Amino acid sequence: MRLQINKGEFMKSWQTAERSTSSKSTINSLTGILLKTAGTDDENTVLLEATDLKTSIKCVSRGILVEEEGEAVLPVKVVGELFKKAPTNVFTVSVAEGKGLIIAGRNKYRFSTYPSKEFPTLPVSESAPFFCTITASELLRTLSEGTIASTIGEEFPKYLGTAFFQLKEGELRIISTDGRRLSLSKCHPVEKGEDGDFLLPISGLKELQRLLGSTDGETPVRIVVDSTLVFFQMGSLEFSVRRVEAVFPNYEKILNPQSTTTLDVDRSLLIAALERVDVIVRDFSRMVLFRLSPEGDLILMGKAPETGAVEEILEGKIEGEPLTVAFNVGFLLDGLKALYGDRAFVSFNGPEGQMTMLRPGETDFLYMVMPIKLTESDLSFEEKEEEGEEFPPA
């Protein structure tokens, strides 16, 4: 194999494929990228393939002049660095009998390759049933919002580190939960197949988000699904993720529309106030106390024995019953930052029921958090403040 490579064009594809390799694998071929000159529509292109066995990517790279056809697995750690640091914008790469050579101007770099026969055969998507087609920007938005409540690192139950994709009633819904909160985002695909659902690991979806972020927002993403894999096809790139075999909870049972108290508040002001509360509580309980008084102000309070205490007062439209309730401040910030827009609509279902965030007047994104059970000590803090006592010293 002998290629003349335009560095600027080629490196975009190389770096895209590079992220799907496995840097820690004991299987050498998984730490490399397979380059194949055959199998593309344009003779002056190269197909790049990479996998860590959980995710895989195939992409066509242009900016190539194929002088001699062939295939080889190039080690990312060495060759990738040489490609990036090559002193010329155009260089040649040749591989013969397991040995590679890069010529950039008058400079030469020799390296070893891995046998292409040891590279795993990547799955093909031709026979996978069609799921839906959606624009890259809509899929990115829905993914970003729908995976907020996920938890990476938990091993049981398996659904904790996943996102649930559900095509139902003409909508694509993406949902995640860690047992204490839930996020749900939905959109309307351009084309739809039959209703269905599947679970995908968050780690693979993070890479998909990066790919979507570097793709033109109007690019159609075609999703096809077989029994073990989900394929995301966008232009000359195909990214696949292995499905997780687990049962996602029946989330619709906990989407309780009941509420006792509602709050309409400036989103950016609430975020800023919660971030200041977090300065005090983040190394202790991360708990923030909400005190809501209809026709009054929203009061936020937090304390930590070795740090101090904080009280924030915000204007907001509060309706319903008076309420004192507590939440994890980090969970609240995650949801508020995902809402975008100027305002946030928050509904509360008593001191022990779920809190739900929405964009005012919209239903395409929902974020739900369960409250922290208050102790007598937590409530005594509130009572002391009402009596006018000073904050405890830092």
Side-chain angles (χ1 to χ4, degrees), residues 311-333:
E311 179 181 291
E312 291 270 350
I313 301 176
L314 292 177
E315 292 183 357
K317 183 180 180 182
I318 302 171
E319 296 181 346
E321 302 174 3
L323 178 65
T324 298
V325 63
F327 299 97
N328 178 298
V329 67
F331 290 172
L332 297 181
L333 286 169

Side-chain angles (χ1 to χ4, degrees), residues 47 53 80 85 87 103 134 143 145 156 175 199 202 220 230 233 278 299 314 327 366 385:
L47 178 64
L53 300 182
K85 297 177 180 179
I103 300 177
I134 182 174
L143 257 180
E145 296 172 348
F156 185 83
I175 310 103
L199 279 173
I202 294 297
V230 178
Q233 302 165 339
D278 198 32
I299 300 177
L314 292 177
F327 299 97
L366 174 150
E385 291 305 319

